[in-house]
Amino acid sequence: MQPAVKQGLILGAVAGAFIGVALWLYTDVIGCLLLIPFTAVMGAAPQFLKPADMDDEDD
């Protein structure tokens, strides 16, 4: 797995954890914790959708 994809997954999971726990505490619906995997995938998605010629290479 590419480092950029891992970074997107981690940052998305952290953001989803904060949002999911906040909504869970506010609404008392534990299903809000499902936001964690969804936001993790959303964080990694741009790395899969960018064109192949846009590699993050150091020149």
Side-chain angles (χ1 to χ4, degrees), residues 10-22 32-40:
I10 292 170
L11 291 175
V14 168
F18 282 118
I19 294 170
V21 169
C32 294
L33 296 179
L34 287 174
L35 287 173
I36 297 171
F38 291 137
T39 55

Side-chain angles (χ1 to χ4, degrees), residues 3-58:
V5 175
K6 284 184 185 179
Q7 182 181 6
L9 282 171
I10 292 170
L11 291 175
V14 168
F18 282 118
I19 294 170
V21 169
L23 287 174
W24 177 33
L25 293 174
Y26 183 70
T27 62
D28 291 331
V29 177
I30 200 162
C32 294
L33 296 179
L34 287 174
L35 287 173
I36 297 171
F38 291 137
T39 55
V41 171
M42 288 170 48
Q47 298 302 319
F48 292 112
L49 298 176
K50 68 180 182 179
D53 61 346
M54 287 184 57
D55 292 333
D56 294 333
E57 296 178 1
D58 294 327

